[in-house]
Amino acid sequence: MSTQVLVLGGGYAGVMAANRLSGRDDAAVTLVNPRPRFVERVRLHQVAAGTHGALHDYAEVLGERVRVVVDEATRIDTAHRKVVLAGGTDLLYDHLVYAVGSHASDAGVPGAAEHALAVSTFEAATRLRTALDATPRVPVVVVGGGPTGIETAAELAETGRTVTLVCGGVLAPYVRPHAQRAIARRLARLGVTVLERPRAAEVRARSLLLDDGRTLDGFTVWATGFAVSDLARRSGLTTDAAGRLLTDETLTSVDDDRVVGAGDAVAPSGVPQRASCQAAVPLGARAADTVLAHLDGRVPEPVDNVFFGQCIALGRRAATFQASRPDDTAVALQVSGRAGGLLKEGVTRQIVEGLTREARRPGSTRLPSSASARARTLARADRVTPPLPQARVDA
């Protein structure tokens, strides 16, 4: 009899996990997702602007042996190893991958939940697109100075929309000052008005009240951050304060070794990784490897993800790539302008290509470690600089 492996969530982490698990002949893999198609979440700002569809059939990105159930989990019953679905049915499992992702957070700002439009899900981005199409002359106020806010503001401005970006702090706080200046210059060329310091105080039907007393007219687009589903908490599993599934360093739930987490909704040892496909894809692969280790009676390997930086699209023809150390700390290297745009588009396409490759050849995705990344960096340094004295190396 096959081992039943259930994957909750059909985003980057869930698809990667399901594909990697599908290479196991004695495992029957089922993926549960509320939508019938895969969404390229990193393109949702393009959906809002009408410049990309961001949808793929699951047949394109999932292995043939993965069964897809279009429904939403409402409760995980770990005692009986079953998941209750919104549609009224139950799915039994032997092992479960919790990869339910995240959604927009209103940050408790009055009126945000009622009046703001988001870009955090395909449905939200589509609603925003519909609203913009119906009122082509109404300006847009984007709240959020991170990648989502910047990309949405730039994409909409490039289509001719009047856009104001309210950062509520520093523009693009992750990147270094040189990259921040490059982003600011590009937004200025696109006609985006950037307000760094004011914060949103109240969202109204067609305006935004700032904490300095000013009122900005137009649609409010909310792009301030993410929140996770409370499914784990409702199911009696231990979570962090934000509701992310709490796991050990192998992504195994601290409550139940039959439950493994991946993506935005997991906090290994209480420390979540940055919400990004850069983290979600390898976390999905590592979650699958943990399940496979449990099946074989092996001790799973701890998570050792490597970050390469952050790439922020600035319309269709430009982007800024901020490089980082493996631990996700930004460094001096950055690429901007047209070269950055080509890099951003290439990376975005490679994400889907990587999922497709794993679907065809489960287990083929190689996961770099921080140790291997450091070794490559040292090797490159040795090729371009004279050897350092031994005392300097040890220091």
Side-chain angles (χ1 to χ4, degrees):
M1 183 175 178
S2 296
T3 299
Q4 301 297 313
V5 183
L6 195 57
V7 179
L8 300 184
Y12 296 106
V15 168
M16 173 54 77
N19 283 338
R20 205 165 180 88
L21 289 162
S22 70
R24 179 92 178 201
D25 291 337
D26 60 349
V29 182
T30 299
L31 182 141
V32 178
N33 194 62
R35 304 175 194 87
R37 303 176 75 185
F38 174 74
V39 176
E40 282 190 84
R41 190 170 184 178
V42 295
R43 292 193 187 274
L44 288 179
H45 61 287
Q46 294 177 256
V47 173
T51 56
H52 199 283
L55 288 176
H56 297 268
D57 290 335
Y58 271 121
E60 177 185 344
V61 297
L62 276 178
E64 293 180 355
R65 296 186 63 242
V66 179
R67 172 194 174 206
V68 177
V69 173
V70 181
D71 210 328
E72 185 171 8
T74 60
R75 187 168 61 88
I76 303 168
D77 182 348
T78 56
H80 299 93
R81 292 182 195 161
K82 70 177 182 180
V83 171
V84 180
L85 302 180
T89 59
D90 297 344
L91 291 178
L92 300 177
Y93 68 85
D94 295 303
H95 293 268
L96 183 143
V97 176
Y98 185 84
V100 296
S102 59
H103 55 269
S105 168
D106 62 20
V109 175
E114 295 82 6
H115 302 301
L117 297 163
V119 286
S120 60
T121 66
F122 180 78
E123 292 77 13
T126 302
R127 286 193 294 271
L128 174 56
R129 174 76 259 148
T130 300
L132 295 175
D133 286 344
T135 53
R137 292 181 176 82
V138 175
V140 172
V141 181
V142 180
V143 180
T148 303
I150 293 169
E151 291 186 335
T152 303
E155 198 80 22
L156 294 178
E158 198 169 64
T159 66
R161 183 75 57 163
T162 300
V163 179
T164 299
L165 178 62
V166 177
C167 300
V170 177
L171 174 70
Y174 176 88
V175 307
R176 298 286 289 270
H178 187 60
Q180 288 174 334
R181 290 191 291 271
I183 292 169
R185 287 194 299 270
R186 175 62 180 172
L187 291 174
R189 283 196 291 270
L190 291 171
V192 177
T193 300
V194 177
L195 304 177
E196 284 199 296
R197 299 303 174 187
R199 296 182 179 274
E202 182 183 355
V203 183
R204 297 165 180 171
R206 284 289 183 92
S207 66
L208 175 70
L209 176 66
L210 300 178
D211 63 358
D212 62 6
R214 283 181 288 174
T215 298
L216 303 177
D217 293 329
F219 284 116
T220 298
V221 178
W222 206 256
T224 61
F226 300 102
V228 300
S229 166
D230 66 347
L231 175 62
R233 183 177 290 161
R234 282 189 282 114
S235 301
L237 292 163
T238 302
T239 68
D240 69 1
R244 302 179 190 89
L245 179 71
L246 189 62
T247 73
D248 63 15
E249 286 299 304
T250 72
L251 301 177
T252 304
S253 165
V254 298
D255 303 304
D256 189 336
D257 63 6
R258 299 293 183 120
V259 177
V260 174
D264 296 351
V266 61
S269 297
V271 183
Q273 298 192 358
R274 174 161 54 91
S276 62
C277 59
Q278 187 175 175
V281 172
L283 283 174
R286 294 182 190 280
D289 290 347
T290 291
V291 172
L292 294 174
H294 287 160
L295 289 174
D296 292 337
R298 295 181 284 109
V299 177
E301 294 291 329
V303 172
D304 186 18
N305 279 1
V306 172
F307 283 84
F308 298 96
Q310 187 177 89
C311 205
I312 302 175
L314 297 163
R316 291 297 80 229
R317 294 180 293 276
T320 290
F321 170 72
Q322 168 65 70
S324 76
R325 297 187 180 91
D327 66 357
D328 203 23
T329 302
V331 297
L333 176 64
Q334 62 96 11
V335 181
S336 293
R338 180 60 176 164
L342 292 172
L343 178 61
K344 167 71 171 179
E345 182 61 25
V347 169
T348 300
R349 290 181 178 179
Q350 286 176 10
I351 296 167
V352 175
E353 291 170 0
L355 295 176
T356 303
R357 182 171 56 253
E358 186 71 18
R360 294 171 180 166
R361 293 185 290 128
S364 62
T365 300
R366 297 182 63 185
L367 300 174
S369 67
S370 58
S372 63
R374 183 175 183 275
R376 288 195 300 273
T377 300
L378 291 174
R380 287 195 296 271
D382 287 344
R383 289 196 295 270
V384 298
T385 61
L388 295 172
Q390 186 63 41
R392 288 284 304 278
V393 174
D394 292 342

